[in-house]
Amino acid sequence: MEKQIKRLALILFCLLLAGCAPSARLRFNMHSISATPRTQWFAIHRPHDFGITFNKHGRIDALLYDDNGDGTIDHVYHLRNNDPAKLPHFVILLDSIPYQTLADRYAAGEFRWFDPPVKVISPFPSLTKIAYTQVLHAAPTLGMIDEYYDPKTDKIRSGFAARFFGYREPWEYRLDYAAPFSDASAAYLNPRPWYHAELELARQEFDQSHKKVTIAYLASASCMVCRYGRQGANEVLDGAARLCLELLYEHHGQIEISMMADHGHNYMVSQNIEVSRALRNAGFRVGPHLRNKNDVVLELSGLVTYAGIDTYQPAAVSDILLKQTGIQHCYYMDSNTLIIRDHTGAAKVETHNGLFRYTAITSDVLRYADVISSMRAEHQMNADGYASANAWFRATINAEYPAGPQRLWQAFHGETQHTPTLMFTTLDGYCAGLPYLQHFIHMGSTHGSLNQINSATFLMTMTHRTKNDLQSPQVLPTILGDDENSYVAK
């Protein structure tokens, strides 16, 4: 009861903060006053006009400045003349943008100061702290979510309260700009003003930075997508485009910008599944401790499509969960074998000498039969059915469950310091989270699970170094190259 009161007090404090969003705003006027296939002009502020030109491939080529608005170009800056070794690099970390949303807009001619986007597959679960821990090569987080079970103390640790009062995750220390956790929480209640403020605050951080690489994380982007779904994602991208154009304008193109997000989103309003009731009805004791055979501890946080459970009986708990409408998969370790279950049956993942094997036990849960046939035909898999993580990644990048074997295995082996015994995911249209949050936050979209729409996001950069789709840990080495002075995660 005491914890519930503390949580409600924190949420009420967030409600007060929600009406106190910072007033900072970008100055760049996104209104285009003229556009052709090769040139686009913007009215920045009277009497200045700003133009960008495109080459025959549709990529940005030069910046044009009309200082007095008389129609005469006063200054031209060609981006092809830039020396990357001398340019400051701004890395913009967004939150919750599915790959296809960005790819469609790029195909329509937007964001053409960047190279074409590549797909990035987040780790599992597809949650911000897990994804950006890997992107930034930071130390593992304490738990998968803020509220996690610590078996050493046999207690649930409230990371939410700790973060609210100043604790930062290891990955957050890699950032040059990030909103305080209290502000990021308040933004879920009224996200638009917070997001517009964060765009300007991130710009200020870059302008004031003397570092070769500056990294900014915009937490309110998640709030926009969670509340407004696809519309919110497009508004986030509108704001990000405006930020990039203002930076290009201010710095005469003498910068490099890279931009990505942490994971995808399903763009669906979700029904919350109260799994605690089903477990209690089946004879399990749901509580904060794990002392007896039938005890279970739920690791629930936001209204997402992933949750964890600590239990002595993962198979029996899975039996109960998979009878509930909306549950998609259950995952747990059985000795050295990772079990994957859905309502049709079970499959397993095993490792040997750094290779991974996926096998149907009673059902092809991840629907990899065709993938495995192709991998065997292309000699990407050995005679025993094992293949490298990279081979699985390339073979499943566009599959329903991309890179499933290695992502699931990693989730149980060192991704965080405290790993739940059992993890489960919900079908899109359902979620598993703290019920009282529904009274404060309207969720128009959510994320967390293993599937494509939840897992696949994007990376775009001006560095010309992106050639192939990536997993999260490959992002920084790719965009920063071999410059050890700029590689913040060394």
Side-chain angles (χ1 to χ4, degrees), residues 373-384:
S373 296
S374 296
M375 292 176 75
R376 288 187 182 278
E378 296 171 10
H379 306 290
Q380 297 175 342
M381 182 176 284
N382 68 23
D384 295 322

Side-chain angles (χ1 to χ4, degrees), residues 334-364:
D334 181 4
S335 186
N336 294 322
T337 300
L338 194 160
I339 304 298
I340 308 168
R341 294 180 60 186
D342 69 2
H343 69 282
T344 68
K348 62 182 179 180
V349 174
E350 301 161 289
T351 64
H352 181 67
N353 292 336
L355 304 178
F356 295 88
R357 179 170 67 183
Y358 166 86
T359 311
I361 301 174
T362 57
S363 176
D364 179 10

